[in-house]
Amino acid sequence: GGEEGAVHFGKPQKGNFMLGTEFFFVNHGAFGAVARPVFEAAQAWRRHAEVQPLKFIDRELLPLLVHTIREFAPEVGAKATDLVFLPSATVGLNTVINAAAREWNADDEVLSLSVGYASVRKMLDVRCGEVGVRHITAQVELPVASADDVVDAVSRAISPKTRFAVFDHVTSNTALVLPVARLIKVCRNRGVRVLIDGAHAPGMLHLDMEALDPDWYVANLHKWYCCPRGCAFLWARPGEQQAALRPLVISHGSGDGLTSSFVWDGNRDYSATLAVLTAIRVWRLWGPERARAYMQRTAREAAETLLAAFGTDVLAPWDMFGAM
């Protein structure tokens, strides 16, 4: 309980995580670190499911999942009808790329960035090879002088044949917060559909799907949003972008709209998704703006300490970094 922003960060928060005390954990970006209340909520959902599995799965689970979507969607500036939960961003990325690829022709091109996530390049390479489409990688030269460098690299790489582009919101290896709003505008003005890989964004950055308005946006909740692993979301622009999507696993709800098609992919453990309800309350207690400011400030302080020790410099201006 307590008012938003009434908590203290740093050491007072250690008890709210399950990390060992023998080391100083700084890498939420790789695989996350679940907040203790959220972990305990997931465990409680697992126990509840086992009390009467038939009743829970057959009567309670789907309404609970829809309720969770409705509660979470406003946290990222989305309508509940435009957002679905998935087991991982990887599942979402494959889902969107597969959907987009059905509209590609042999002479088309798809675009990604040299600073993009390696597995996404492999996803594109596989689908491009199957369809006969050319995968173009726009080179982002490091160090970056400003966000203009990234926008210019994308603008130069787009050709009349470009149909689809994938950009990280926050790059994994280089930790750059890319100017995705500007990249989306450049692409839309030239008829290119855009998928944003926001794996690192929830919790680290303020998100507003409707204001950002990509064609598709995929993100993990186990990293900076501190949920259990196995929880991500996919947002799709209403219209053709939603209609094109097909789940990787087809089940009972297929063909009855976005929510119905994706809400159930088989008899598995959905507790990580249901625990999002607790994660929302935890983040409201922390105060999202205060928490983000604290993370960004401490990340910069740590980076400046290392820069001074190593005699090196950052890869971009400070305003292009978040919490890592």
Side-chain angles (χ1 to χ4, degrees), residues 111-114 136-141 143-159 167 178-187 190 320:
L111 178 66
S112 67
L113 295 176
S114 59
I136 304 297
T137 303
Q139 296 298 313
V140 176
E141 300 297 332
V144 174
S146 73
D148 292 344
D149 291 357
V150 181
V151 177
D152 291 345
V154 169
S155 297
R156 289 193 301 268
I158 294 175
S159 80
F167 306 123
L178 298 184
V180 290
R182 295 174 63 188
L183 297 180
I184 291 166
K185 183 176 181 180
V186 167
C187 289
R190 298 175 68 174
M320 288 186 69

Side-chain angles (χ1 to χ4, degrees), residues 42-58 60-61 64 267-271 274:
Q43 293 291 75
W45 283 116
R46 292 188 186 99
R47 289 192 294 268
H48 176 70
E50 298 309 319
V51 172
Q52 218 315 352
L54 178 61
K55 178 183 178 184
F56 177 74
I57 295 169
D58 200 44
E60 298 177 359
L61 178 57
L64 284 167
N267 187 22
R268 63 174 177 86
D269 183 0
Y270 292 85
S271 60
L274 296 176

